[in-house]
Amino acid sequence: MKQHIGGHIMGEKGADYHLHQTYWTNLKRLSGADVDDFHGLSVTVNWPHRPQDIDMLLRLGQGYIARDSIARPLGAGMWFDYENDAAMISMMITHPKLQTGGLGSEVLAAIEVQLDGFRVRLNATRSAWRLYRSTGFRDTGNVVQYQGIVRSDDQEPTMALGVRAADLGDLSAIRALDGNVFGAKRDDVLAQIFARSQTYVMEDAGQITGFAMCRIFGRGHVVGPLIAGSEADAIALVRVFARDHANEFLRLDADARHSELGRYLNSVGLETYDTVVAMTKGTHFGPEDAVEHLSLIHISEPTRPLY
């Protein structure tokens, strides 16, 4: 028998459950054993992550998963913490049956307890924006999701001047550039993404001034993170991946201010799929503050489904 106590239900094992609509759920920390259930939960909201993508995210970050009394996954959320007390919240998923039942708020609250005192970023979908605003997050900009099957842009097969394939010796410079633009050091995240990606750099007089990474994800490939000194440089870097993945699915998320890049992406088949809101809480950090570089920050996870 289970004993009801106020708004909670105490199970035989002493687990603390909360009622959301007609479902009793409890939160547990995510682990590698949750890959399949987390993947299944993502499928319920039409996110095209592969199990391998979920596994990578769990290696990079931490999170919670909400299950009902018979262990079915009904909600989840993750955070990725960086040096200097900075973090990013993402992968916030609530089963469609419970999206108005308060479960998302419970997951978010649990994550925020772990991030007390942190500077926090997230990218909010339309459906989640009000929730984040109600808890103190503020808008800092917009991120546009471009995706589609790449078609040829009739470019020459050679790479643009200054663009070359990166090697392991470039990782230190890539980390330094990313830290300056992103506003927080995330060396471990970059190292793991670099190991799974094809990376190109933009070089000027022997100095790396930009880079872009591209890896298998979801329905095809995803480009990011990408940092460049101008939209022209960003296009030169992306063009290499457009060439390499012609007739394949490709995604890139970019700051909405970069319309020249957006027009190029549209011209090679990446349609403007959706726009999300970049938000912060606490002392702001992020690419919106970068003045010397165009910043197209695609964190280690999607802003919303494909990707």
Side-chain angles (χ1 to χ4, degrees), residues 122-141:
L122 57 79
N123 291 314
T125 61
R126 292 185 183 93
S127 60
W129 179 81
R130 290 185 183 277
L131 167 62
Y132 300 132
R133 287 279 291 184
S134 72
T135 60
F137 283 89
R138 58 191 183 277
D139 301 3
T140 60

Side-chain angles (χ1 to χ4, degrees), residues 232-254:
D233 285 356
I235 291 169
L237 287 163
V238 174
R239 181 172 277 126
V240 180
F241 297 123
R243 178 199 64 190
D244 292 347
H245 298 292
N247 303 313
E248 298 176 7
F249 186 91
L250 191 66
R251 170 172 165 173
L252 185 150
D253 292 357

Side-chain angles (χ1 to χ4, degrees), residues 148-161:
I149 304 300
V150 181
R151 58 175 177 264
S152 172
D153 65 350
D154 298 322
Q155 63 177 336
E156 293 296 323
T158 56
M159 288 186 288
L161 183 65

Side-chain angles (χ1 to χ4, degrees), residues 42-49 91-93 125 302-306:
S42 73
V43 171
T44 69
V45 291
N46 298 315
W47 289 13
H49 298 66
M91 295 301 293
M92 294 287 294
I93 305 175
T125 61
T303 55
R304 65 161 288 143
L306 221 163

